Amino acid sequence: MVRAARPRLRQVETPAPKAHTSNRRGRRSRQEILDAAARVMSVRGYAGTSMSTLVKETGLPKSAFYHHFESKAGLLSAVMAQGAQGFFDAMRDAHRDPPEGGTPRERMRWYLLRTGEVIENREEFLRLLLVLVMSHEAAEAPEALRTVRTVRDEGRTYMRHMIRSAFAGAGGAAADAVADALAPFGMAGFDGAFVSFQSADGIPIARFMTELADGLVSLGEALLPGR
Amino acid sequence: MVRAARPRLRQVETPAPKAHTSNRRGRRSRQEILDAAARVMSVRGYAGTSMSTLVKETGLPKSAFYHHFESKAGLLSAVMAQGAQGFFDAMRDAHRDPPEGGTPRERMRWYLLRTGEVIENREEFLRLLLVLVMSHEAAEAPEALRTVRTVRDEGRTYMRHMIRSAFAGAGGAAADAVADALAPFGMAGFDGAFVSFQSADGIPIARFMTELADGLVSLGEALLPGR
Amino acid sequence: MVRAARPRLRQVETPAPKAHTSNRRGRRSRQEILDAAARVMSVRGYAGTSMSTLVKETGLPKSAFYHHFESKAGLLSAVMAQGAQGFFDAMRDAHRDPPEGGTPRERMRWYLLRTGEVIENREEFLRLLLVLVMSHEAAEAPEALRTVRTVRDEGRTYMRHMIRSAFAGAGGAAADAVADALAPFGMAGFDGAFVSFQSADGIPIARFMTELADGLVSLGEALLPGR
Amino acid sequence: MVRAARPRLRQVETPAPKAHTSNRRGRRSRQEILDAAARVMSVRGYAGTSMSTLVKETGLPKSAFYHHFESKAGLLSAVMAQGAQGFFDAMRDAHRDPPEGGTPRERMRWYLLRTGEVIENREEFLRLLLVLVMSHEAAEAPEALRTVRTVRDEGRTYMRHMIRSAFAGAGGAAADAVADALAPFGMAGFDGAFVSFQSADGIPIARFMTELADGLVSLGEALLPGR
DNA sequence: AATGAATGAGCATTCATTCAT
DNA sequence: CATGAATGAATGCTCATTCAT
């Protein structure tokens, strides 16, 4: 189940940076902390990630963490907020300029394949997101949990939008009905594809996305009034 | 109609209950510990669950934990082993007496709806399983990770079996081909349904299972040589 | 204001006892911890005493402190409880066999001089007690504060008893009235004597006690109905 | 009636307010810090008061504290110095225009009742003073401890002055002898009254002062050569 | 077989303080 | 002059584990 491609924790090769020439590098170290936290927490989980580990990862003094973030929970919240931001930006980018014509299947595939690329690029964030969805590890970080919920809600909205666009040819009302009916299943397909991706079964995400697209289109066509 | 051979479930060995038949309390408290650990770890995650929490939860002395299990990691391994055992038993039970006739869709639906019931009844185990799939929280418990892998492998085998059974009417070779092609997607649907179930979207698992069944059948039919 | 006679913190001359032959010396280390805490806290105050200091003082591992006591606050509570016990025992001892006859002044002096001896022997406890009376340093240790209040209440009762005994010759009712009227002043005299004792003015406690006795008798006689 | 010379109060040097006349905010925030520190430290003790607490209390930036004061210890020293100044000013004010005639008791009562009012008004300062007398919490602030000693020495001188004034009618030498003999007891009465006041026994300070006055006069008369 | 006592390493967090601007 | 950013050392406490009985 251990995926070789998973990011390894950087070894502590810089045991004494010490020579911090300037103390006016706040913004930079804040981001360094966020990056390290996102990386490590997505691998070890929230509870499994100790502040000391992040200290070793970054080389920054422990107090820097509490200078920039209120607490470990606050750090998680910031990690999630930034991750969500990046995820939505990537989604918006990916779905810019959708194909104008084509069959529903072609359009659906286009959307989901692009989405699959986002999944691959946002692995870290999505892994942490799913762990937070599944466990209550981060009960102390309600703000982070709120972000999780927001991301899922927005994600569902996104899925609805994709399905509606794919079926746009069938008329607005019909497309809306299909989208509303299938968005949950689409989300589940998305989640499942990511889990499979994580469980290192070696199957490319694109394949899941293609199958999900085709499946959604089949289900959708069965729902169309004309049928 | 050819009924595909039911896959033989590999035994997930419980690490030899230490044979303390003499003391009746021993057996009972071992099980109490396993239950509490399964319950709490599935909620808080492995790293997020401390031995002290389990001590408080069970009321048993801390040393009892180390009497029955080698370590926290060993406890997790036992929890996973027992959970896997129960999961497979439930699956075997659920799929006893499949319908003999009917369309592929009907048969697929029957299988997956029964599977959905198992999902609902084994929520605790599956939640912990998925957290372990997603995070490296339990890197110290390789035995548990092995169980995770086993469960997923067996799960995929199971999924293959269900699809093959549904398509049995198309002939053994065709059914095999379809099953091999769609098993990963089926697994992903299963995972995704569980994630949605956990994220408390309020949609009944049965609906996901029905849609997954229909989607799989559509995809399968598209793969059949005759088409 | 620094009194030379004040107990010095024992230097950490035993840096590595390590060779704790037995781990069954619980009771003993509990008492060691209590003693060290009483000693150091009475010098540095509650907030000014860190657990690490006590660790260094005792040579015991930090976890031993949390094995025996719930928290730093709990340790303070135990220190105060044991100190109060010892204080009351000493008072009871000191006032066993009071003189049968003599003038009120002689009797009052006898009582207070004996009390002065107790003060000198219980310096540590009383110092900590007074610091807790004066500051809210130990707001987190409400149990300790309850002990403080108890000790002061019992102390006042004691003072009443001494005055009543001194004036017993004037008749029970008169003695009671005098005792009730003067107990608060007696307490204040006691407190003040202890503060002076602590502020290292070099004046023996016995002198304060004699003057307090004489002052109380004068005030008491002025209250007697016959006058 | 011979009025004893009022003791000259030694100045308790405020550490030269750094002469920032230019910036008006500076002066004000320095005083704000002093006030907050006096208030909080008198409640929580020195060790129990963190700089962060004072930052939150004042709303001023942390660096302002180090701009105006050298260190936490330096801040305590300044707090004590200013408190001592205020205390002596209040004492001087309170004892302006003592009664010319009357019995020693009347005069003693007048002095001590006025002193009692000062106690009530300077509660904050005296509480911190007593905590510093009792504990070694502020070992790092020797300057503050010096102020403590000064205040107590001056206080004793004051007490001597009051007793001498009360007994002035008995002749200078006799009054001096009585004052020297009873000043420590007077101080102790003062301390004790304050402790009782703090321990919230609900007894008005005036009553302690009256009884202390009467007690002192009784003791003093017993010492007069004529008796 | 079962357990209360004990422990060293590590936890998240706060401390008083410094420094560049 | 005034301050926001930064920091190393220490804080109170919990961790998983061991061991003698």
Side-chain angles (χ1 to χ4, degrees):
Chain A
M1 202 65 24
V2 181
R3 210 153 125 276
R6 232 173 242 172
R8 293 242 167 290
L9 291 185
R10 202 198 308 161
Q11 280 300 97
V12 198
E13 287 131 3
T14 38
K18 284 269 179 181
H20 285 320
T21 29
S22 154
N23 74 353
R24 235 3 187 89
R25 121 219 82 119
R27 274 284 118 73
R28 207 167 332 148
S29 53
R30 196 191 131 94
Q31 193 54 48
E32 248 181 89
I33 290 170
L34 276 173
D35 291 348
R39 179 162 30 91
V40 180
M41 284 180 177
S42 96
V43 172
R44 296 255 195 269
Y46 172 72
T49 301
S50 77
M51 294 302 262
S52 314
T53 301
L54 299 178
V55 163
K56 281 170 204 148
E57 279 298 295
T58 57
L60 290 164
K62 190 173 275 195
S63 41
F65 287 75
Y66 289 88
H67 179 63
H68 291 295
F69 307 94
E70 207 177 50
S71 62
K72 189 186 173 186
L75 173 54
L76 174 64
S77 302
V79 163
M80 289 308 293
Q82 166 154 312
Q85 189 65 254
F87 176 67
F88 287 130
D89 287 353
M91 286 291 266
R92 209 174 302 118
D93 255 38
H95 296 156
R96 176 169 303 158
D97 308 320
E100 295 284 326
T103 64
R105 163 166 312 188
E106 280 162 359
R107 294 152 70 96
M108 194 81 245
R109 281 189 174 187
W110 183 89
Y111 273 111
L112 289 185
L113 285 170
R114 305 285 268 168
T115 302
E117 283 165 28
V118 174
I119 290 185
E120 283 177 331
N121 292 330
R122 301 286 154 174
E123 187 185 348
E124 223 168 57
F125 168 69
L126 291 172
R127 187 164 52 216
L128 183 47
L129 185 89
L130 271 204
V131 168
L132 294 184
V133 166
M134 305 297 304
S135 80
H136 286 200
E137 267 193 12
E140 343 153 19
E143 215 178 315
L145 297 182
R146 227 174 304 127
T147 303
V148 168
R149 209 165 38 234
T150 303
V151 169
R152 291 197 67 83
D153 289 348
E154 292 267 334
R156 200 161 14 250
T157 303
Y158 238 107
M159 182 57 72
R160 207 150 28 217
H161 163 71
M162 294 190 262
I163 301 173
R164 198 192 311 118
S165 300
F167 281 92
D176 272 348
V178 168
D180 285 347
L182 294 184
F185 182 72
M187 266 290 276
F190 184 103
D191 289 332
F194 186 72
V195 171
S196 275
F197 177 51
Q198 286 306 305
S199 71
D201 300 334
I203 297 159
I205 270 224
R207 193 176 139 199
F208 286 109
M209 290 295 115
T210 305
E211 289 168 344
L212 179 57
D214 294 0
L216 280 170
V217 169
S218 295
L219 293 172
E221 280 167 350
L223 290 175
L224 283 182
R227 279 288 283 261
Chain B
M1 195 158 285
V2 182
R3 219 157 105 266
R6 180 96 35 81
R8 176 140 293 124
L9 290 182
R10 203 192 309 164
Q11 279 297 98
V12 187
E13 66 281 79
T14 7
K18 293 219 163 175
H20 42 175
T21 17
S22 72
N23 197 317
R24 217 159 243 115
R25 257 276 272 171
R27 262 268 151 71
R28 202 163 339 142
S29 55
R30 195 190 131 91
Q31 192 53 47
E32 249 180 88
I33 291 171
L34 277 172
D35 291 348
R39 180 163 27 91
V40 179
M41 285 181 176
S42 95
V43 171
R44 297 253 193 274
Y46 172 71
T49 301
S50 76
M51 296 298 261
S52 315
T53 300
L54 299 177
V55 164
K56 278 170 208 147
E57 203 74 7
T58 56
L60 268 60
K62 184 171 275 192
S63 36
F65 287 74
Y66 287 89
H67 181 66
H68 290 297
F69 306 95
E70 204 179 50
S71 63
K72 190 187 172 186
L75 173 55
L76 174 65
S77 303
V79 163
M80 289 308 293
Q82 167 155 311
Q85 190 65 254
F87 176 67
F88 287 131
D89 288 352
M91 285 291 265
R92 208 178 299 118
D93 256 37
H95 295 157
R96 175 169 303 155
D97 307 321
E100 295 283 329
T103 64
R105 164 165 311 188
E106 280 163 358
R107 294 153 69 96
M108 194 79 245
R109 282 190 174 187
W110 183 89
Y111 273 110
L112 288 185
L113 285 170
R114 307 285 268 167
T115 302
E117 283 164 28
V118 174
I119 290 186
E120 283 178 330
N121 293 331
R122 300 286 153 173
E123 188 184 348
E124 222 169 58
F125 168 68
L126 291 172
R127 188 164 52 216
L128 183 47
L129 186 88
L130 271 203
V131 168
L132 295 182
V133 166
M134 305 295 305
S135 80
H136 276 196
E137 268 194 11
E140 344 154 18
E143 213 177 319
L145 296 183
R146 226 174 303 127
T147 302
V148 169
R149 201 165 46 235
T150 303
V151 170
R152 291 196 68 82
D153 287 349
E154 294 288 324
R156 202 164 11 252
T157 303
Y158 233 107
M159 181 56 72
R160 208 154 24 221
H161 162 69
M162 294 189 262
I163 301 173
R164 199 191 311 118
S165 300
F167 281 92
D176 271 348
V178 168
D180 285 348
L182 294 184
F185 182 73
M187 267 289 276
F190 184 101
D191 289 334
F194 185 72
V195 171
S196 275
F197 178 50
Q198 285 307 304
S199 70
D201 299 334
I203 297 159
I205 270 224
R207 191 174 140 202
F208 286 110
M209 291 295 116
T210 305
E211 289 168 343
L212 179 57
D214 293 0
L216 281 169
V217 169
S218 295
L219 293 171
E221 281 167 351
L223 289 174
L224 285 182
R227 283 285 284 262
Chain C
M1 200 68 22
V2 181
R3 208 150 126 279
R6 235 175 237 171
R8 293 241 167 287
L9 292 183
R10 202 196 308 158
Q11 280 300 98
V12 196
E13 289 131 2
T14 37
K18 283 268 178 184
H20 284 322
T21 29
S22 154
N23 73 354
R24 228 20 179 83
R25 120 218 82 121
R27 275 283 118 72
R28 208 170 328 151
S29 53
R30 198 191 129 94
Q31 193 53 48
E32 248 181 87
I33 291 170
L34 276 173
D35 290 348
R39 179 160 32 91
V40 179
M41 283 180 176
S42 95
V43 172
R44 296 256 195 270
Y46 173 71
T49 300
S50 77
M51 294 302 263
S52 314
T53 301
L54 299 178
V55 163
K56 282 171 204 147
E57 278 299 295
T58 58
L60 291 164
K62 189 173 276 195
S63 43
F65 287 76
Y66 289 88
H67 178 64
H68 290 296
F69 306 94
E70 208 178 48
S71 62
K72 191 188 171 185
L75 173 54
L76 174 65
S77 303
V79 163
M80 290 306 295
Q82 167 155 312
Q85 189 65 255
F87 176 67
F88 287 130
D89 288 352
M91 286 291 265
R92 209 174 303 117
D93 256 37
H95 296 155
R96 176 168 302 155
D97 307 320
E100 295 282 330
T103 65
R105 163 166 311 188
E106 281 162 357
R107 293 151 72 98
M108 194 80 243
R109 281 189 173 188
W110 182 88
Y111 272 111
L112 289 185
L113 285 171
R114 306 286 267 168
T115 302
E117 284 165 27
V118 174
I119 290 185
E120 283 176 330
N121 292 332
R122 301 285 154 175
E123 188 185 347
E124 222 168 58
F125 168 69
L126 291 172
R127 189 164 50 217
L128 183 48
L129 185 88
L130 271 203
V131 168
L132 294 183
V133 166
M134 304 297 305
S135 80
H136 286 200
E137 269 194 9
E140 342 154 19
E143 216 177 313
L145 296 183
R146 227 174 304 129
T147 302
V148 168
R149 209 166 37 236
T150 303
V151 169
R152 292 197 65 83
D153 288 348
E154 293 267 335
R156 203 165 8 254
T157 303
Y158 238 108
M159 181 57 72
R160 209 154 23 222
H161 163 70
M162 294 189 260
I163 301 174
R164 200 193 310 118
S165 300
F167 280 92
D176 271 349
V178 168
D180 285 347
L182 295 184
F185 182 74
M187 267 290 274
F190 185 102
D191 288 334
F194 186 72
V195 172
S196 275
F197 177 51
Q198 287 304 305
S199 71
D201 300 335
I203 296 160
I205 271 227
R207 192 174 139 202
F208 285 109
M209 291 294 117
T210 305
E211 288 168 343
L212 179 58
D214 293 359
L216 280 170
V217 169
S218 295
L219 292 171
E221 280 168 351
L223 290 174
L224 284 182
R227 282 286 282 264
Chain D
M1 197 159 283
V2 182
R3 221 160 106 259
R6 182 93 36 83
R8 177 139 292 127
L9 291 180
R10 204 192 309 162
Q11 278 298 97
V12 188
E13 67 280 78
T14 8
K18 292 217 168 178
H20 42 174
T21 15
S22 72
N23 196 317
R24 215 160 244 113
R25 258 277 273 172
R27 261 268 150 73
R28 202 162 343 139
S29 54
R30 195 191 130 92
Q31 191 54 48
E32 251 181 86
I33 291 171
L34 277 172
D35 291 348
R39 179 162 29 91
V40 179
M41 285 180 175
S42 95
V43 171
R44 296 254 194 273
Y46 172 72
T49 301
S50 76
M51 295 299 261
S52 316
T53 301
L54 299 178
V55 163
K56 278 170 207 146
E57 203 74 7
T58 58
L60 266 58
K62 187 172 272 194
S63 36
F65 287 74
Y66 287 88
H67 181 66
H68 290 297
F69 307 95
E70 205 179 50
S71 63
K72 190 187 174 187
L75 173 55
L76 174 64
S77 304
V79 163
M80 290 306 294
Q82 167 156 309
Q85 190 65 254
F87 177 67
F88 287 131
D89 288 352
M91 286 291 265
R92 208 178 299 117
D93 257 37
H95 296 156
R96 176 170 301 157
D97 306 320
E100 295 282 329
T103 64
R105 162 167 310 188
E106 279 162 357
R107 294 153 70 96
M108 194 80 244
R109 281 188 173 187
W110 183 89
Y111 272 111
L112 288 185
L113 284 171
R114 306 285 267 168
T115 301
E117 283 165 27
V118 174
I119 290 185
E120 283 177 330
N121 292 332
R122 300 287 154 173
E123 189 183 347
E124 223 170 57
F125 168 69
L126 291 172
R127 187 163 53 215
L128 183 48
L129 185 89
L130 270 203
V131 167
L132 295 183
V133 166
M134 305 296 305
S135 79
H136 274 196
E137 270 195 6
E140 342 155 19
E143 213 178 318
L145 296 183
R146 227 174 304 126
T147 302
V148 169
R149 201 164 45 235
T150 303
V151 170
R152 292 197 67 82
D153 289 348
E154 293 290 322
R156 200 160 15 250
T157 303
Y158 233 107
M159 182 56 73
R160 206 150 30 218
H161 163 69
M162 294 190 263
I163 301 173
R164 199 190 314 118
S165 298
F167 282 92
D176 271 348
V178 168
D180 285 347
L182 295 185
F185 182 74
M187 267 289 275
F190 184 102
D191 288 334
F194 186 71
V195 171
S196 274
F197 178 51
Q198 285 307 303
S199 70
D201 300 335
I203 297 159
I205 269 223
R207 192 174 140 200
F208 286 110
M209 290 295 118
T210 305
E211 289 167 344
L212 179 57
D214 293 0
L216 281 169
V217 169
S218 295
L219 293 171
E221 280 169 350
L223 290 174
L224 284 182
R227 283 285 285 261

